[in-house]
Amino acid sequence: MITKEQVLGILKNYDLESLTIATVCSHSSLQIFDGARKEGFKTLGICVGKPPKFYEAFPKAKPDEFLVVENYGDIMNKAKELREKNTIIIPHGSFVAYLGSDKFMELEVPTFGNRGVLEWESDRDKEREWLLGAGIHMPKKISDPKDINGPVMVKYDGARGGKGFFVAKTYEEFQKLIDPTQKYTIQEFITGTRYYLHYFYSPLHEDGYTLSKGNLQLLSMDRRVESNADEIFRLGSPRELLKAGIRPSYVVTGNVPLVARESLLPLIFSLGERVVEESLGLFGGMIGPFCLETVFTDELEIKVFEISARIVAGTNIYPTGSPYSDFIQEDLSTGRRLAQEIKYAVETGSLDEIIS
Amino acid sequence: MITKEQVLGILKNYDLESLTIATVCSHSSLQIFDGARKEGFKTLGICVGKPPKFYEAFPKAKPDEFLVVENYGDIMNKAKELREKNTIIIPHGSFVAYLGSDKFMELEVPTFGNRGVLEWESDRDKEREWLLGAGIHMPKKISDPKDINGPVMVKYDGARGGKGFFVAKTYEEFQKLIDPTQKYTIQEFITGTRYYLHYFYSPLHEDGYTLSKGNLQLLSMDRRVESNADEIFRLGSPRELLKAGIRPSYVVTGNVPLVARESLLPLIFSLGERVVEESLGLFGGMIGPFCLETVFTDELEIKVFEISARIVAGTNIYPTGSPYSDFIQEDLSTGRRLAQEIKYAVETGSLDEIIS
Amino acid sequence: MITKEQVLGILKNYDLESLTIATVCSHSSLQIFDGARKEGFKTLGICVGKPPKFYEAFPKAKPDEFLVVENYGDIMNKAKELREKNTIIIPHGSFVAYLGSDKFMELEVPTFGNRGVLEWESDRDKEREWLLGAGIHMPKKISDPKDINGPVMVKYDGARGGKGFFVAKTYEEFQKLIDPTQKYTIQEFITGTRYYLHYFYSPLHEDGYTLSKGNLQLLSMDRRVESNADEIFRLGSPRELLKAGIRPSYVVTGNVPLVARESLLPLIFSLGERVVEESLGLFGGMIGPFCLETVFTDELEIKVFEISARIVAGTNIYPTGSPYSDFIQEDLSTGRRLAQEIKYAVETGSLDEIIS
């Protein structure tokens, strides 16, 4: 694993007036490139094989240049080239998934945020320790499937995109549906409506909604569109479908915009605040964009079932502003907010605080 | 109850060049403050205990000052202070609910709109008289639960947020689910899709979509997100869930944006028009923003199940414009439209027509 | 049927500096008029009886003038008048439906796009030949209802708006529900989530996402709101409801915005590309806006169940830009993009390539 000292050593040789913002050509790259350009940065898209043609259709979001690799692992061999371009990597979810956690931790290129968060985010037990430590309400965890006595959601570890997740109401159902070759977690199924809350934590700013260090913003929110769970009711209830051999699935295909009751904003900010404060104590802080994946119950409680400690694809709905970021600044996407943070850090000589 | 004469008397002492727009810090306050500032007004947020911290995260929507009260009833004691600041109150739904209808009617501070609407809006029988008088199609009302012979929605009076509402298909189901200690209304359940239509009625303008007096605008529309009814299908059908002791609930947690078939716009405007015209005859008119809560059936009929005679939280989706208001003017929220109306009234010397 | 030569003959007499953009006052006319005005065109709304009053409420989208006809067929008698105003018609779905296909093919007014597409779009067999020829994955077609052995969607020909469509799982169900007096098509029911993808094909541009001729854009996407299918789960599962005599229906009442996983963009563009390329070979090309109506499965495959070869009403969500068009240009609706194409064609002397 690359150390902070090593990264700071690399940064010393950077021309900070000529930084390049880079990421892998997927996930939320359009807004990252668009936002970086709006803040005056050069942009670089990392892709396998050849540049994806679709960027040609989006001139404002097309990176200035592409770095073509043979496979994602090959990024490791391009570190020198990236450093020569004074590159700072924005690690979105697909970046980390495609490269692999181990390699990501070793990549010898300065990376936005605290790479140490990955250890806490990718392991469901440590994630739970973090969130419960922050006083967050989570769905109950059921350790022994025999203890299932009400609806539960079963998730496989590392299954990004929700592939294979299922709902069961009894141990018998669980047994029928489980893939025993995979590591799984069983969570109480919370009835309510899903909200994915997009925050931004800056350790640098001393104004705004201040925390013990830095400030917190709420940039937007979305609801994920899950295939086929979100439309399968058109065919029948889960029980009816199971008889016909059809199972609901929870693969994310996209996102819809929404807003929350304004009276819930104090609670929403409090959740974000506690998660950040706890992260400062646990591992030096989660920096930049993060997302709490929640259910709002009919008691107007918010249960958090997961955290994503980086930019989430749900922010793609808002490339030029959201119903929340519009109260901060015109034309503010999460991608642009990321670029602003880097720009501000350069201007205030504090890049070392937001890079690892 | 404060009389119109008393309010006009107060207004005489106001410095109309230095008005303050005030509301309670909840519901739709962000867009109200943001919109008022865009139109050049000072803004004041009324809050209990201390200023909510979340405004710090939304600098464009943070009121210029806060008026801290011990409890919402305490607002009554602050009337003098509010008048000294030349305050006009924007009464959103939570403002009225938190303060209480009786106190709201007595509050000695000029208030946007016609307070007299409250009597017609808050009582389901009078609301029904108003809407049916306007020739609006409403779900049938079932007076005697024994007459239930198809799906019905049961609503409790004054239950803002949908708490406790339920669907029943038979008298037996009704009996099982009813809370007999509360006053309730039984409405036919209309199958279709829900649309919440956000209008703005101005008695002052003589251009645009004109009515017998003033004009009508359609600013936006939304669909409410109801917890847990909107996602509970993932667990099972209502009947299956009832066996498991799980009941659907209809608590509003937020809102999603949508648009209606353009061919329905003539009908949509006609509904708004008739409701306003009827209100002019019944109680001198409903002024400013209002919302028809509707179901669009598969016959492309629009059934109205409720009216909100003030700004609704669904407009929070659109702080810088909606797919409808974008055809009126750039950057037009309902909050801003409210401020424009006050500004226009000051300019044309007709504040007395929109204040009570 | 009017020939290309005749249309070009008409164009020769046009004052290209003073074109009028016209369409029928419905469907997507607000953004068409608004977009045309933004590009400097005069606008004309065709309506029956009298000008719809609702345009008065949307000053930016109100056409400069109205052409009042007695009935839509009467448009045929107004061709001379329209030509004298140097009119180019934008044929949205309601325009074609109200006028009738036969008359539309004969209308002696220059029309945006290739009228020849109608033959391929309106006949489900030819549509299927086109899409399968393009290598698009479609739901399987079941020719004999006796072969139904899993969920299917049954659609009536020409039934715009989804009226009467139904889902069946067995031949018995099919028999119960079918209206034998109408021509129908039976398609495999694909479980997943619906996305309606809004493309724009220009034969004129040589930059951007280039095809063998011209370029392709993705302007936005939506999900249709279908009454009552999208909310009927609140009452019961389809099977439970059928017992109670309540049938799901699929009438489009409006649209909600959404975005797709960014990693699906290469596939999304590839689908659009193949459909256009195939159209160039089959009938000289589908020009301008079109929509692929799709289901995203949990395998992240995209199945196309229908194509609309003109502007769709789902684009009404985005009169001032979408999460996709915002990466092309500020304030870009499909209506405005249409006007830009005409403007560019005039400037480059290539109007003959986009008109028929």
Side-chain angles (χ1 to χ4, degrees), chain A residues 130 134-136 199-201 209-217 265-281 286 290 292, chain B residues 50 53-54:
Chain A
W130 173 13
I136 301 293
Y199 301 87
F200 194 96
Y201 167 62
Y209 189 103
T210 52
L211 307 190
S212 65
K213 174 180 163 57
N215 80 10
L216 181 68
Q217 293 175 315
L265 283 178
L267 175 54
I268 287 169
F269 272 89
S270 161
L271 295 175
E273 178 171 359
R274 283 181 272 155
V275 167
V276 171
E277 295 290 2
E278 183 75 7
S279 80
L280 287 166
M286 166 181 58
F290 67 98
L292 293 182
Chain B
K50 60 178 182 178
K53 193 174 166 191
F54 71 83

mmCIF file of all heavy atoms in Angstrom, chain A residues 130 134-136 199-201 209-217 265-281 286 290 292, chain B residues 50 53-54:
data_model
loop_
_atom_site.group_PDB
_atom_site.id
_atom_site.type_symbol
_atom_site.label_atom_id
_atom_site.label_comp_id
_atom_site.label_asym_id
_atom_site.label_seq_id
_atom_site.Cartn_x
_atom_site.Cartn_y
_atom_site.Cartn_z
ATOM 1 N N TRP A 130 -18.721 1.043 11.783
ATOM 2 C CA TRP A 130 -18.605 2.495 11.534
ATOM 3 C C TRP A 130 -19.956 3.201 11.717
ATOM 4 O O TRP A 130 -20.079 4.154 12.490
ATOM 5 C CB TRP A 130 -18.059 2.673 10.121
ATOM 6 C CG TRP A 130 -17.999 4.067 9.564
ATOM 7 C CD1 TRP A 130 -18.142 5.255 10.234
ATOM 8 C CD2 TRP A 130 -17.758 4.394 8.192
ATOM 9 N NE1 TRP A 130 -18.004 6.303 9.353
ATOM 10 C CE2 TRP A 130 -17.775 5.811 8.094
ATOM 11 C CE3 TRP A 130 -17.537 3.647 7.038
ATOM 12 C CZ2 TRP A 130 -17.582 6.472 6.873
ATOM 13 C CZ3 TRP A 130 -17.332 4.305 5.832
ATOM 14 C CH2 TRP A 130 -17.360 5.707 5.758
ATOM 15 N N ALA A 134 -21.504 5.577 14.770
ATOM 16 C CA ALA A 134 -21.943 6.953 14.537
ATOM 17 C C ALA A 134 -23.368 7.187 15.027
ATOM 18 O O ALA A 134 -23.917 8.270 14.856
ATOM 19 C CB ALA A 134 -21.836 7.277 13.040
ATOM 20 N N GLY A 135 -23.959 6.156 15.621
ATOM 21 C CA GLY A 135 -25.316 6.306 16.134
ATOM 22 C C GLY A 135 -26.384 6.267 15.059
ATOM 23 O O GLY A 135 -27.495 6.767 15.251
ATOM 24 N N ILE A 136 -26.033 5.674 13.927
ATOM 25 C CA ILE A 136 -26.969 5.564 12.805
ATOM 26 C C ILE A 136 -27.892 4.363 13.024
ATOM 27 O O ILE A 136 -27.443 3.314 13.485
ATOM 28 C CB ILE A 136 -26.168 5.350 11.490
ATOM 29 C CG1 ILE A 136 -25.197 6.505 11.249
ATOM 30 C CG2 ILE A 136 -27.083 5.114 10.306
ATOM 31 C CD1 ILE A 136 -25.859 7.809 10.952
ATOM 32 N N TYR A 199 -24.055 13.468 -0.246
ATOM 33 C CA TYR A 199 -23.390 14.495 0.561
ATOM 34 C C TYR A 199 -22.020 14.834 -0.038
ATOM 35 O O TYR A 199 -21.481 14.089 -0.855
ATOM 36 C CB TYR A 199 -23.137 13.975 1.977
ATOM 37 C CG TYR A 199 -24.346 13.548 2.769
ATOM 38 C CD1 TYR A 199 -24.847 12.250 2.670
ATOM 39 C CD2 TYR A 199 -24.961 14.429 3.654
ATOM 40 C CE1 TYR A 199 -25.926 11.837 3.428
ATOM 41 C CE2 TYR A 199 -26.045 14.018 4.426
ATOM 42 C CZ TYR A 199 -26.520 12.719 4.303
ATOM 43 O OH TYR A 199 -27.585 12.314 5.069
ATOM 44 N N PHE A 200 -21.460 15.931 0.469
ATOM 45 C CA PHE A 200 -20.070 16.255 0.169
ATOM 46 C C PHE A 200 -19.426 16.794 1.437
ATOM 47 O O PHE A 200 -19.888 17.790 2.001
ATOM 48 C CB PHE A 200 -19.970 17.298 -0.957
ATOM 49 C CG PHE A 200 -18.584 17.419 -1.519
ATOM 50 C CD1 PHE A 200 -18.211 16.720 -2.664
ATOM 51 C CD2 PHE A 200 -17.641 18.224 -0.896
ATOM 52 C CE1 PHE A 200 -16.921 16.816 -3.177
ATOM 53 C CE2 PHE A 200 -16.345 18.314 -1.390
ATOM 54 C CZ PHE A 200 -15.987 17.618 -2.543
ATOM 55 N N TYR A 201 -18.370 16.115 1.860
ATOM 56 C CA TYR A 201 -17.648 16.580 3.041
ATOM 57 C C TYR A 201 -16.324 17.198 2.627
ATOM 58 O O TYR A 201 -15.518 16.561 1.941
ATOM 59 C CB TYR A 201 -17.392 15.426 4.015
ATOM 60 C CG TYR A 201 -16.392 15.808 5.084
ATOM 61 C CD1 TYR A 201 -16.663 16.854 5.972
ATOM 62 C CD2 TYR A 201 -15.162 15.170 5.188
ATOM 63 C CE1 TYR A 201 -15.742 17.242 6.928
ATOM 64 C CE2 TYR A 201 -14.236 15.546 6.151
ATOM 65 C CZ TYR A 201 -14.526 16.589 7.019
ATOM 66 O OH TYR A 201 -13.606 16.983 7.949
ATOM 67 N N TYR A 209 -22.174 24.622 6.832
ATOM 68 C CA TYR A 209 -22.595 23.685 7.877
ATOM 69 C C TYR A 209 -21.327 23.042 8.418
ATOM 70 O O TYR A 209 -20.846 22.041 7.901
ATOM 71 C CB TYR A 209 -23.525 22.640 7.256
ATOM 72 C CG TYR A 209 -24.205 21.725 8.253
ATOM 73 C CD1 TYR A 209 -25.540 21.910 8.603
ATOM 74 C CD2 TYR A 209 -23.520 20.657 8.833
ATOM 75 C CE1 TYR A 209 -26.175 21.066 9.496
ATOM 76 C CE2 TYR A 209 -24.139 19.804 9.735
ATOM 77 C CZ TYR A 209 -25.467 20.016 10.055
ATOM 78 O OH TYR A 209 -26.096 19.179 10.943
ATOM 79 N N THR A 210 -20.782 23.637 9.473
ATOM 80 C CA THR A 210 -19.453 23.223 9.932
ATOM 81 C C THR A 210 -19.504 21.998 10.837
ATOM 82 O O THR A 210 -20.438 21.812 11.623
ATOM 83 C CB THR A 210 -18.775 24.370 10.705
ATOM 84 O OG1 THR A 210 -19.680 24.807 11.716
ATOM 85 C CG2 THR A 210 -18.438 25.523 9.779
ATOM 86 N N LEU A 211 -18.479 21.184 10.706
ATOM 87 C CA LEU A 211 -18.277 20.028 11.588
ATOM 88 C C LEU A 211 -17.077 20.348 12.490
ATOM 89 O O LEU A 211 -16.568 21.466 12.489
ATOM 90 C CB LEU A 211 -18.016 18.777 10.748
ATOM 91 C CG LEU A 211 -19.056 18.464 9.665
ATOM 92 C CD1 LEU A 211 -18.826 17.084 9.083
ATOM 93 C CD2 LEU A 211 -20.475 18.575 10.225
ATOM 94 N N SER A 212 -16.632 19.348 13.242
ATOM 95 C CA SER A 212 -15.484 19.605 14.123
ATOM 96 C C SER A 212 -14.299 20.086 13.291
ATOM 97 O O SER A 212 -13.427 20.799 13.763
ATOM 98 C CB SER A 212 -15.122 18.332 14.888
ATOM 99 O OG SER A 212 -14.675 17.336 13.985
ATOM 100 N N LYS A 213 -14.295 19.687 12.048
ATOM 101 C CA LYS A 213 -13.276 20.141 11.091
ATOM 102 C C LYS A 213 -13.955 20.142 9.728
ATOM 103 O O LYS A 213 -14.546 19.148 9.345
ATOM 104 C CB LYS A 213 -12.112 19.145 11.109
ATOM 105 C CG LYS A 213 -11.028 19.384 10.076
ATOM 106 C CD LYS A 213 -9.938 18.309 10.238
ATOM 107 C CE LYS A 213 -9.063 18.230 9.007
ATOM 108 N NZ LYS A 213 -8.407 19.482 8.644
ATOM 109 N N GLY A 214 -13.901 21.270 9.024
ATOM 110 C CA GLY A 214 -14.469 21.321 7.683
ATOM 111 C C GLY A 214 -15.981 21.501 7.672
ATOM 112 O O GLY A 214 -16.591 21.790 8.695
ATOM 113 N N ASN A 215 -16.580 21.308 6.502
ATOM 114 C CA ASN A 215 -18.032 21.480 6.403
ATOM 115 C C ASN A 215 -18.719 20.398 5.576
ATOM 116 O O ASN A 215 -18.062 19.594 4.906
ATOM 117 C CB ASN A 215 -18.386 22.892 5.912
ATOM 118 C CG ASN A 215 -18.257 23.053 4.405
ATOM 119 O OD1 ASN A 215 -18.074 22.089 3.664
ATOM 120 N ND2 ASN A 215 -18.348 24.285 3.942
ATOM 121 N N LEU A 216 -20.031 20.368 5.678
ATOM 122 C CA LEU A 216 -20.828 19.320 5.046
ATOM 123 C C LEU A 216 -21.861 19.952 4.132
ATOM 124 O O LEU A 216 -22.499 20.946 4.493
ATOM 125 C CB LEU A 216 -21.546 18.504 6.134
ATOM 126 C CG LEU A 216 -22.420 17.344 5.677
ATOM 127 C CD1 LEU A 216 -21.569 16.214 5.085
ATOM 128 C CD2 LEU A 216 -23.252 16.797 6.839
ATOM 129 N N GLN A 217 -22.042 19.366 2.950
ATOM 130 C CA GLN A 217 -23.097 19.817 2.033
ATOM 131 C C GLN A 217 -23.990 18.637 1.656
ATOM 132 O O GLN A 217 -23.556 17.486 1.656
ATOM 133 C CB GLN A 217 -22.477 20.408 0.763
ATOM 134 C CG GLN A 217 -21.703 21.698 1.003
ATOM 135 C CD GLN A 217 -21.009 22.207 -0.236
ATOM 136 O OE1 GLN A 217 -20.383 21.444 -0.964
ATOM 137 N NE2 GLN A 217 -21.110 23.509 -0.475
ATOM 138 N N LEU A 265 -34.791 17.539 6.778
ATOM 139 C CA LEU A 265 -33.420 17.991 6.520
ATOM 140 C C LEU A 265 -32.544 18.019 7.784
ATOM 141 O O LEU A 265 -31.377 17.627 7.708
ATOM 142 C CB LEU A 265 -33.418 19.360 5.824
ATOM 143 C CG LEU A 265 -33.757 19.304 4.325
ATOM 144 C CD1 LEU A 265 -33.779 20.712 3.743
ATOM 145 C CD2 LEU A 265 -32.752 18.439 3.553
ATOM 146 N N PRO A 266 -33.065 18.444 8.933
ATOM 147 C CA PRO A 266 -32.198 18.381 10.119
ATOM 148 C C PRO A 266 -31.687 16.967 10.397
ATOM 149 O O PRO A 266 -30.508 16.770 10.678
ATOM 150 C CB PRO A 266 -33.119 18.888 11.243
ATOM 151 C CG PRO A 266 -34.088 19.802 10.542
ATOM 152 C CD PRO A 266 -34.332 19.138 9.202
ATOM 153 N N LEU A 267 -32.571 15.982 10.260
ATOM 154 C CA LEU A 267 -32.146 14.605 10.484
ATOM 155 C C LEU A 267 -31.155 14.153 9.406
ATOM 156 O O LEU A 267 -30.143 13.502 9.689
ATOM 157 C CB LEU A 267 -33.388 13.689 10.501
ATOM 158 C CG LEU A 267 -33.139 12.188 10.616
ATOM 159 C CD1 LEU A 267 -32.262 11.843 11.813
ATOM 160 C CD2 LEU A 267 -34.469 11.428 10.698
ATOM 161 N N ILE A 268 -31.437 14.524 8.157
ATOM 162 C CA ILE A 268 -30.562 14.137 7.051
ATOM 163 C C ILE A 268 -29.149 14.695 7.255
ATOM 164 O O ILE A 268 -28.154 13.985 7.079
ATOM 165 C CB ILE A 268 -31.178 14.621 5.715
ATOM 166 C CG1 ILE A 268 -32.393 13.747 5.361
ATOM 167 C CG2 ILE A 268 -30.145 14.603 4.589
ATOM 168 C CD1 ILE A 268 -33.242 14.279 4.216
ATOM 169 N N PHE A 269 -29.061 15.948 7.661
ATOM 170 C CA PHE A 269 -27.738 16.522 7.919
ATOM 171 C C PHE A 269 -27.072 15.872 9.123
ATOM 172 O O PHE A 269 -25.871 15.631 9.134
ATOM 173 C CB PHE A 269 -27.827 18.040 8.106
ATOM 174 C CG PHE A 269 -27.718 18.786 6.808
ATOM 175 C CD1 PHE A 269 -28.844 19.065 6.058
ATOM 176 C CD2 PHE A 269 -26.483 19.160 6.315
ATOM 177 C CE1 PHE A 269 -28.748 19.733 4.849
ATOM 178 C CE2 PHE A 269 -26.370 19.828 5.102
ATOM 179 C CZ PHE A 269 -27.508 20.115 4.358
ATOM 180 N N SER A 270 -27.894 15.586 10.121
ATOM 181 C CA SER A 270 -27.331 14.974 11.326
ATOM 182 C C SER A 270 -26.733 13.603 11.007
ATOM 183 O O SER A 270 -25.658 13.241 11.505
ATOM 184 C CB SER A 270 -28.430 14.860 12.377
ATOM 185 O OG SER A 270 -28.090 13.929 13.362
ATOM 186 N N LEU A 271 -27.386 12.839 10.137
ATOM 187 C CA LEU A 271 -26.849 11.531 9.755
ATOM 188 C C LEU A 271 -25.496 11.692 9.055
ATOM 189 O O LEU A 271 -24.534 11.001 9.369
ATOM 190 C CB LEU A 271 -27.819 10.818 8.810
ATOM 191 C CG LEU A 271 -29.177 10.427 9.395
ATOM 192 C CD1 LEU A 271 -30.071 9.835 8.302
ATOM 193 C CD2 LEU A 271 -29.001 9.429 10.526
ATOM 194 N N GLY A 272 -25.444 12.632 8.112
ATOM 195 C CA GLY A 272 -24.192 12.858 7.394
ATOM 196 C C GLY A 272 -23.091 13.315 8.337
ATOM 197 O O GLY A 272 -21.944 12.857 8.263
ATOM 198 N N GLU A 273 -23.475 14.202 9.236
ATOM 199 C CA GLU A 273 -22.502 14.743 10.187
ATOM 200 C C GLU A 273 -21.898 13.636 11.053
ATOM 201 O O GLU A 273 -20.686 13.542 11.211
ATOM 202 C CB GLU A 273 -23.219 15.781 11.081
ATOM 203 C CG GLU A 273 -22.347 16.385 12.154
ATOM 204 C CD GLU A 273 -23.038 17.566 12.852
ATOM 205 O OE1 GLU A 273 -24.186 17.910 12.474
ATOM 206 O OE2 GLU A 273 -22.416 18.142 13.764
ATOM 207 N N ARG A 274 -22.774 12.781 11.579
ATOM 208 C CA ARG A 274 -22.279 11.742 12.487
ATOM 209 C C ARG A 274 -21.376 10.736 11.780
ATOM 210 O O ARG A 274 -20.386 10.268 12.329
ATOM 211 C CB ARG A 274 -23.465 11.040 13.147
ATOM 212 C CG ARG A 274 -24.082 11.904 14.264
ATOM 213 C CD ARG A 274 -25.227 11.207 14.931
ATOM 214 N NE ARG A 274 -26.488 11.464 14.254
ATOM 215 C CZ ARG A 274 -27.547 10.656 14.294
ATOM 216 N NH1 ARG A 274 -27.475 9.522 14.974
ATOM 217 N NH2 ARG A 274 -28.656 10.962 13.657
ATOM 218 N N VAL A 275 -21.732 10.430 10.534
ATOM 219 C CA VAL A 275 -20.922 9.478 9.786
ATOM 220 C C VAL A 275 -19.533 10.054 9.515
ATOM 221 O O VAL A 275 -18.516 9.354 9.610
ATOM 222 C CB VAL A 275 -21.636 9.110 8.463
ATOM 223 C CG1 VAL A 275 -20.694 8.396 7.528
ATOM 224 C CG2 VAL A 275 -22.852 8.249 8.753
ATOM 225 N N VAL A 276 -19.478 11.347 9.192
ATOM 226 C CA VAL A 276 -18.184 11.974 8.945
ATOM 227 C C VAL A 276 -17.370 12.055 10.230
ATOM 228 O O VAL A 276 -16.187 11.681 10.265
ATOM 229 C CB VAL A 276 -18.359 13.387 8.345
ATOM 230 C CG1 VAL A 276 -17.022 14.115 8.310
ATOM 231 C CG2 VAL A 276 -18.955 13.303 6.948
ATOM 232 N N GLU A 277 -18.005 12.515 11.297
ATOM 233 C CA GLU A 277 -17.270 12.652 12.563
ATOM 234 C C GLU A 277 -16.690 11.303 13.000
ATOM 235 O O GLU A 277 -15.538 11.208 13.414
ATOM 236 C CB GLU A 277 -18.189 13.214 13.670
ATOM 237 C CG GLU A 277 -18.688 14.640 13.435
ATOM 238 C CD GLU A 277 -17.591 15.703 13.562
ATOM 239 O OE1 GLU A 277 -16.422 15.357 13.801
ATOM 240 O OE2 GLU A 277 -17.934 16.903 13.391
ATOM 241 N N GLU A 278 -17.496 10.262 12.874
ATOM 242 C CA GLU A 278 -17.009 8.935 13.259
ATOM 243 C C GLU A 278 -15.828 8.533 12.370
ATOM 244 O O GLU A 278 -14.864 7.925 12.842
ATOM 245 C CB GLU A 278 -18.152 7.911 13.138
ATOM 246 C CG GLU A 278 -17.805 6.505 13.570
ATOM 247 C CD GLU A 278 -17.735 6.341 15.094
ATOM 248 O OE1 GLU A 278 -18.083 7.307 15.805
ATOM 249 O OE2 GLU A 278 -17.301 5.265 15.550
ATOM 250 N N SER A 279 -15.902 8.870 11.096
ATOM 251 C CA SER A 279 -14.826 8.489 10.178
ATOM 252 C C SER A 279 -13.528 9.222 10.522
ATOM 253 O O SER A 279 -12.436 8.685 10.329
ATOM 254 C CB SER A 279 -15.224 8.772 8.723
ATOM 255 O OG SER A 279 -15.061 10.145 8.395
ATOM 256 N N LEU A 280 -13.651 10.434 11.024
ATOM 257 C CA LEU A 280 -12.442 11.187 11.411
ATOM 258 C C LEU A 280 -11.712 10.451 12.522
ATOM 259 O O LEU A 280 -10.484 10.328 12.497
ATOM 260 C CB LEU A 280 -12.833 12.606 11.860
ATOM 261 C CG LEU A 280 -13.264 13.556 10.729
ATOM 262 C CD1 LEU A 280 -13.943 14.804 11.281
ATOM 263 C CD2 LEU A 280 -12.065 13.956 9.870
ATOM 264 N N GLY A 281 -12.491 9.929 13.459
ATOM 265 C CA GLY A 281 -11.871 9.192 14.543
ATOM 266 C C GLY A 281 -11.348 7.831 14.116
ATOM 267 O O GLY A 281 -10.252 7.414 14.513
ATOM 268 N N MET A 286 -13.440 10.484 5.964
ATOM 269 C CA MET A 286 -13.888 10.201 4.599
ATOM 270 C C MET A 286 -14.036 11.551 3.910
ATOM 271 O O MET A 286 -14.774 12.413 4.397
ATOM 272 C CB MET A 286 -15.244 9.507 4.687
ATOM 273 C CG MET A 286 -16.018 9.439 3.408
ATOM 274 S SD MET A 286 -17.598 8.618 3.723
ATOM 275 C CE MET A 286 -18.309 9.669 5.004
ATOM 276 N N PHE A 290 -20.022 11.413 -0.640
ATOM 277 C CA PHE A 290 -20.424 10.088 -0.152
ATOM 278 C C PHE A 290 -21.936 10.006 -0.184
ATOM 279 O O PHE A 290 -22.626 11.023 -0.365
ATOM 280 C CB PHE A 290 -19.868 9.794 1.245
ATOM 281 C CG PHE A 290 -20.412 10.648 2.362
ATOM 282 C CD1 PHE A 290 -21.447 10.183 3.171
ATOM 283 C CD2 PHE A 290 -19.890 11.906 2.613
ATOM 284 C CE1 PHE A 290 -21.951 10.980 4.215
ATOM 285 C CE2 PHE A 290 -20.392 12.706 3.654
ATOM 286 C CZ PHE A 290 -21.419 12.237 4.457
ATOM 287 N N LEU A 292 -25.432 8.085 1.573
ATOM 288 C CA LEU A 292 -26.115 7.177 2.496
ATOM 289 C C LEU A 292 -27.314 6.580 1.762
ATOM 290 O O LEU A 292 -28.132 7.306 1.198
ATOM 291 C CB LEU A 292 -26.558 7.910 3.757
ATOM 292 C CG LEU A 292 -25.438 8.409 4.667
ATOM 293 C CD1 LEU A 292 -26.017 9.087 5.911
ATOM 294 C CD2 LEU A 292 -24.493 7.271 5.068
ATOM 295 N N LYS B 50 -33.796 27.244 18.255
ATOM 296 C CA LYS B 50 -32.626 27.901 17.652
ATOM 297 C C LYS B 50 -32.682 27.726 16.143
ATOM 298 O O LYS B 50 -33.374 26.834 15.642
ATOM 299 C CB LYS B 50 -31.340 27.331 18.232
ATOM 300 C CG LYS B 50 -31.186 25.846 17.998
ATOM 301 C CD LYS B 50 -29.868 25.320 18.536
ATOM 302 C CE LYS B 50 -29.767 23.829 18.231
ATOM 303 N NZ LYS B 50 -28.521 23.224 18.658
ATOM 304 N N LYS B 53 -29.583 24.429 11.688
ATOM 305 C CA LYS B 53 -28.221 24.562 11.147
ATOM 306 C C LYS B 53 -28.174 24.320 9.638
ATOM 307 O O LYS B 53 -27.272 24.774 8.957
ATOM 308 C CB LYS B 53 -27.327 23.571 11.890
ATOM 309 C CG LYS B 53 -25.837 23.800 11.679
ATOM 310 C CD LYS B 53 -25.019 22.862 12.569
ATOM 311 C CE LYS B 53 -23.564 22.827 12.135
ATOM 312 N NZ LYS B 53 -22.814 21.762 12.794
ATOM 313 N N PHE B 54 -29.154 23.571 9.111
ATOM 314 C CA PHE B 54 -29.025 23.155 7.710
ATOM 315 C C PHE B 54 -29.038 24.329 6.729
ATOM 316 O O PHE B 54 -28.529 24.198 5.610
ATOM 317 C CB PHE B 54 -30.063 22.093 7.337
ATOM 318 C CG PHE B 54 -31.474 22.583 7.231
ATOM 319 C CD1 PHE B 54 -31.919 23.191 6.066
ATOM 320 C CD2 PHE B 54 -32.367 22.408 8.280
ATOM 321 C CE1 PHE B 54 -33.240 23.628 5.948
ATOM 322 C CE2 PHE B 54 -33.681 22.844 8.176
ATOM 323 C CZ PHE B 54 -34.113 23.456 7.012
#
